């Protein structure tokens, strides 16, 4: 694949994730697709949430270190939170940040202490993982999983929380590597992820996506079956479903992901990252790209991640 096309896909993944995040946030107040479209058009700027703030932090850490360094990454997350605590963070990360401020321990130990020592299985690691999927899109699955795990356990150490984030990252990586002119082979894409996932919970949900697509089930039925909550196994699968249902139409994918309730901003971020990685930045409606907050910063990080690939 040519460098120009690959750059477009890196840009598409980060911009697509941010656009999905911001539009998903608008969708909380919109009753139906027409209201959402009107809200997007009326917005002077598409403002993102903690999903994109943490993705930016992850990208910055990867660019600065050249790899996943848990301590550097945790410190970067904390610094971003302190600068912008109003981004809409869930309860878990601020608790970890506060614990670290009182008594410094390895970041993964602080994360593991949540929820009775089980760690979080929320979608907070998956929502931000796109930069890792880009940076390491060309390495083997074993090494890739290890890097995704290291990037997740800083805040989400439950095995399902890690697995959901790893599957999301791998979906971005697979989407980047797809041949531009070839149709998406949905069964092959799902099979790759099933073989990559390490928990029975995520593998079962990936199998359910295949069944829903094969049965031509409605998106409404898929949303109920797969889930749309803040738990990663009840949100990442529906975001992936939205992409597989509309693999060649960024806008349709995003409207599907955010249109059926639940954790809309994170559903949009995850679906937008995968769709943008496959289709490239040009597939994101130009009016959306023009309005996204901190677009220049996101574009610069995407190019820096691409420059660091190859190892």
């Amino acid at each position: 694949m040519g460098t120009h096309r690959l750059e477009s896909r890196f840009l598409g993944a980060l911009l697509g994730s941010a656009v999905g995040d911001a539009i998903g946030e608008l969708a909380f107040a919109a009753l139906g697709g027409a209201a959402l479209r009107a809200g997007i058009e009326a917005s002077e700027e598409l403002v993102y949430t903690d999903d994109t703030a943490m993705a930016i932090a992850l990208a910055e850490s990867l660019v600065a270190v050249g790899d996943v360094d848990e301590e550097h990454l945790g410190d970067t997350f904390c610094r971003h939170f302190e600068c912008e605590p109003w981004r809409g963070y869930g309860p878990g990360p601020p608790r970890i940040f506060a614990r670290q401020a009182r008594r410094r321990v390895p970041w993964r130990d602080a994360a593991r202490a949540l929820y009775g020592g089980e760690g979080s299985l929320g979608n907070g690691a998956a929502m931000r993982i796109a930069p890792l999927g880009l940076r390491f899109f060309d390495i083997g699955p074993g090494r890739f999983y290890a890097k995704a795990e290291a990037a997740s356990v800083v805040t989400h150490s439950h095995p399902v929380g890690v697995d959901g984030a790893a599957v999301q990252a791998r979906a971005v990586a697979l989407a980047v590597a797809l041949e531009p002119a070839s149709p998406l082979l949905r069964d092959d894409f799902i099979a790759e992820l099933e073989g990559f996932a390490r928990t029975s919970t995520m593998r079962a949900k990936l199998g359910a996506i295949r069944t829903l697509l094969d049965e031509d089930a409605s998106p409404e039925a898929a949303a109920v079956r797969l889930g749309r909550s803040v738990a990663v196994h009840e949100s990442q699968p529906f975001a992936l479903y939205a992409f597989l249902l509309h693999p060649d139409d960024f806008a349709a994918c995003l409207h599907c992901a955010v249109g059926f309730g639940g954790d809309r901003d994170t559903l949009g971020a995850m679906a937008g990252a995968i769709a943008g990685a496959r289709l490239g930045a040009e597939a994101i409606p130009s009016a959306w790209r023009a309005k996204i907050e901190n677009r220049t910063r996101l574009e610069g990080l995407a190019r820096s991640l691409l420059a660091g690939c190859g190892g």
Side-chain angles (χ1 to χ4, degrees), residues 235-247:
S235 50
Q236 194 282 330
F238 186 65
L240 179 59
Y241 163 87
F243 163 69
L244 293 171
L245 187 65
H246 302 286

Side-chain angles (χ1 to χ4, degrees), residues 2 13 51 81 130 132-133 146 188 210-211 218 232 264 275 291:
D51 299 45
F81 171 73
L132 185 137
D188 290 351
R210 176 188 288 106
T211 299
S218 68
V232 72
R264 295 177 190 252
K291 291 183 178 184

Side-chain angles (χ1 to χ4, degrees), residues 10 23 49 57 100 125 191 198 222:
F10 273 56
I23 288 178
T49 75
Q100 289 294 71
R198 295 189 179 179

